[in-house]
PDB file of all heavy atoms in Angstrom:
ATOM      1  N   VAL A 144     -36.143  30.879  -7.988  1.00  0.00           N
ATOM      2  CA  VAL A 144     -37.147  32.018  -8.194  1.00  0.00           C
ATOM      3  C   VAL A 144     -37.763  32.092  -6.866  1.00  0.00           C
ATOM      4  O   VAL A 144     -38.226  31.104  -6.204  1.00  0.00           O
ATOM      5  CB  VAL A 144     -38.191  31.455  -9.308  1.00  0.00           C
ATOM      6  CG1 VAL A 144     -39.348  32.469  -9.383  1.00  0.00           C
ATOM      7  CG2 VAL A 144     -37.548  31.313 -10.639  1.00  0.00           C
ATOM      8  N   PRO A 145     -37.902  33.336  -6.388  1.00  0.00           N
ATOM      9  CA  PRO A 145     -38.684  33.583  -5.118  1.00  0.00           C
ATOM     10  C   PRO A 145     -40.092  32.963  -5.164  1.00  0.00           C
ATOM     11  O   PRO A 145     -40.775  33.063  -6.154  1.00  0.00           O
ATOM     12  CB  PRO A 145     -38.681  35.078  -4.997  1.00  0.00           C
ATOM     13  CG  PRO A 145     -37.640  35.588  -5.841  1.00  0.00           C
ATOM     14  CD  PRO A 145     -37.604  34.561  -7.056  1.00  0.00           C
ATOM     15  N   VAL A 146     -40.452  32.419  -4.061  1.00  0.00           N
ATOM     16  CA  VAL A 146     -41.895  31.850  -3.859  1.00  0.00           C
ATOM     17  C   VAL A 146     -42.896  32.943  -4.044  1.00  0.00           C
ATOM     18  O   VAL A 146     -42.769  34.083  -3.534  1.00  0.00           O
ATOM     19  CB  VAL A 146     -41.990  31.128  -2.537  1.00  0.00           C
ATOM     20  CG1 VAL A 146     -43.472  30.728  -2.315  1.00  0.00           C
ATOM     21  CG2 VAL A 146     -41.043  29.992  -2.380  1.00  0.00           C
ATOM     22  N   GLY A 147     -43.962  32.674  -4.977  1.00  0.00           N
ATOM     23  CA  GLY A 147     -45.009  33.578  -5.047  1.00  0.00           C
ATOM     24  C   GLY A 147     -44.815  34.809  -5.965  1.00  0.00           C
ATOM     25  O   GLY A 147     -45.605  35.724  -5.946  1.00  0.00           O
ATOM     26  N   VAL A 148     -43.839  34.840  -6.743  1.00  0.00           N
ATOM     27  CA  VAL A 148     -43.447  35.970  -7.558  1.00  0.00           C
ATOM     28  C   VAL A 148     -44.318  35.972  -8.805  1.00  0.00           C
ATOM     29  O   VAL A 148     -44.530  37.015  -9.502  1.00  0.00           O
ATOM     30  CB  VAL A 148     -42.033  36.061  -7.967  1.00  0.00           C
ATOM     31  CG1 VAL A 148     -41.022  36.249  -6.925  1.00  0.00           C
ATOM     32  CG2 VAL A 148     -41.665  34.957  -8.868  1.00  0.00           C
ATOM     33  N   GLY A 149     -44.968  34.925  -9.196  1.00  0.00           N
ATOM     34  CA  GLY A 149     -45.816  34.862 -10.351  1.00  0.00           C
ATOM     35  C   GLY A 149     -45.124  34.321 -11.560  1.00  0.00           C
ATOM     36  O   GLY A 149     -44.394  33.481 -11.534  1.00  0.00           O
ATOM     37  N   ASN A 150     -45.533  35.060 -12.665  1.00  0.00           N
ATOM     38  CA  ASN A 150     -44.927  34.616 -14.071  1.00  0.00           C
ATOM     39  C   ASN A 150     -43.489  34.913 -14.170  1.00  0.00           C
ATOM     40  O   ASN A 150     -43.075  36.040 -14.159  1.00  0.00           O
ATOM     41  CB  ASN A 150     -45.813  35.332 -15.133  1.00  0.00           C
ATOM     42  CG  ASN A 150     -45.521  34.924 -16.501  1.00  0.00           C
ATOM     43  OD1 ASN A 150     -44.394  34.158 -16.708  1.00  0.00           O
ATOM     44  ND2 ASN A 150     -46.299  35.181 -17.452  1.00  0.00           N
ATOM     45  N   VAL A 151     -42.690  33.868 -14.388  1.00  0.00           N
ATOM     46  CA  VAL A 151     -41.294  34.092 -14.661  1.00  0.00           C
ATOM     47  C   VAL A 151     -40.858  33.623 -16.016  1.00  0.00           C
ATOM     48  O   VAL A 151     -39.606  33.535 -16.259  1.00  0.00           O
ATOM     49  CB  VAL A 151     -40.415  33.368 -13.577  1.00  0.00           C
ATOM     50  CG1 VAL A 151     -40.717  33.894 -12.213  1.00  0.00           C
ATOM     51  CG2 VAL A 151     -40.626  31.913 -13.545  1.00  0.00           C
ATOM     52  N   VAL A 152     -41.750  33.242 -16.970  1.00  0.00           N
ATOM     53  CA  VAL A 152     -41.318  32.685 -18.182  1.00  0.00           C
ATOM     54  C   VAL A 152     -41.849  33.614 -19.391  1.00  0.00           C
ATOM     55  O   VAL A 152     -41.191  33.385 -20.396  1.00  0.00           O
ATOM     56  CB  VAL A 152     -41.853  31.315 -18.248  1.00  0.00           C
ATOM     57  CG1 VAL A 152     -41.217  30.336 -17.267  1.00  0.00           C
ATOM     58  CG2 VAL A 152     -43.331  31.231 -18.350  1.00  0.00           C
ATOM     59  N   ASP A 153     -42.690  34.468 -19.259  1.00  0.00           N
ATOM     60  CA  ASP A 153     -43.208  35.149 -20.391  1.00  0.00           C
ATOM     61  C   ASP A 153     -42.416  36.428 -20.682  1.00  0.00           C
ATOM     62  O   ASP A 153     -42.437  37.250 -19.828  1.00  0.00           O
ATOM     63  CB  ASP A 153     -44.674  35.521 -20.264  1.00  0.00           C
ATOM     64  CG  ASP A 153     -45.570  34.370 -20.324  1.00  0.00           C
ATOM     65  OD1 ASP A 153     -45.162  33.421 -21.083  1.00  0.00           O
ATOM     66  OD2 ASP A 153     -46.723  34.296 -19.666  1.00  0.00           O
ATOM     67  N   ILE A 154     -41.794  36.510 -21.852  1.00  0.00           N
ATOM     68  CA  ILE A 154     -41.024  37.684 -22.329  1.00  0.00           C
ATOM     69  C   ILE A 154     -41.912  38.480 -23.178  1.00  0.00           C
ATOM     70  O   ILE A 154     -42.430  37.869 -24.202  1.00  0.00           O
ATOM     71  CB  ILE A 154     -39.708  37.377 -22.890  1.00  0.00           C
ATOM     72  CG1 ILE A 154     -38.790  36.435 -21.950  1.00  0.00           C
ATOM     73  CG2 ILE A 154     -38.979  38.616 -23.433  1.00  0.00           C
ATOM     74  CD1 ILE A 154     -37.505  35.933 -22.622  1.00  0.00           C
ATOM     75  N   GLU A 155     -42.299  39.711 -22.917  1.00  0.00           N
ATOM     76  CA  GLU A 155     -43.216  40.525 -23.744  1.00  0.00           C
ATOM     77  C   GLU A 155     -42.451  41.207 -24.772  1.00  0.00           C
ATOM     78  O   GLU A 155     -41.302  41.855 -24.464  1.00  0.00           O
ATOM     79  CB  GLU A 155     -43.992  41.493 -22.858  1.00  0.00           C
ATOM     80  CG  GLU A 155     -45.059  42.177 -23.547  1.00  0.00           C
ATOM     81  CD  GLU A 155     -45.907  43.020 -22.625  1.00  0.00           C
ATOM     82  OE1 GLU A 155     -45.600  43.077 -21.418  1.00  0.00           O
ATOM     83  OE2 GLU A 155     -46.949  43.477 -23.183  1.00  0.00           O
ATOM     84  N   HIS A 156     -42.981  41.230 -26.017  1.00  0.00           N
ATOM     85  CA  HIS A 156     -42.273  41.920 -27.104  1.00  0.00           C
ATOM     86  C   HIS A 156     -43.268  42.846 -27.839  1.00  0.00           C
ATOM     87  O   HIS A 156     -44.408  42.512 -27.926  1.00  0.00           O
ATOM     88  CB  HIS A 156     -41.735  40.950 -28.201  1.00  0.00           C
ATOM     89  CG  HIS A 156     -40.718  40.001 -27.696  1.00  0.00           C
ATOM     90  ND1 HIS A 156     -39.375  40.195 -27.816  1.00  0.00           N
ATOM     91  CD2 HIS A 156     -40.874  38.763 -27.095  1.00  0.00           C
ATOM     92  CE1 HIS A 156     -38.837  39.318 -27.352  1.00  0.00           C
ATOM     93  NE2 HIS A 156     -39.616  38.405 -26.928  1.00  0.00           N
ATOM     94  N   TRP A 157     -42.829  43.989 -28.371  1.00  0.00           N
ATOM     95  CA  TRP A 157     -43.621  44.822 -29.272  1.00  0.00           C
ATOM     96  C   TRP A 157     -42.668  45.198 -30.409  1.00  0.00           C
ATOM     97  O   TRP A 157     -41.464  45.514 -30.151  1.00  0.00           O
ATOM     98  CB  TRP A 157     -43.961  46.050 -28.562  1.00  0.00           C
ATOM     99  CG  TRP A 157     -45.103  45.924 -27.607  1.00  0.00           C
ATOM    100  CD1 TRP A 157     -45.025  45.829 -26.252  1.00  0.00           C
ATOM    101  CD2 TRP A 157     -46.482  46.013 -27.909  1.00  0.00           C
ATOM    102  NE1 TRP A 157     -46.328  45.810 -25.635  1.00  0.00           N
ATOM    103  CE2 TRP A 157     -47.228  45.901 -26.668  1.00  0.00           C
ATOM    104  CE3 TRP A 157     -47.246  46.081 -29.051  1.00  0.00           C
ATOM    105  CZ2 TRP A 157     -48.561  45.886 -26.575  1.00  0.00           C
ATOM    106  CZ3 TRP A 157     -48.629  46.140 -29.008  1.00  0.00           C
ATOM    107  CH2 TRP A 157     -49.320  45.936 -27.715  1.00  0.00           C
TER     108      TRP A 157
END
Side-chain angles (χ1 to χ4, degrees):
V144 175
V146 174
V148 299
N150 185 343
V151 297
V152 296
D153 288 332
I154 301 169
E155 187 173 7
H156 299 267
W157 285 96

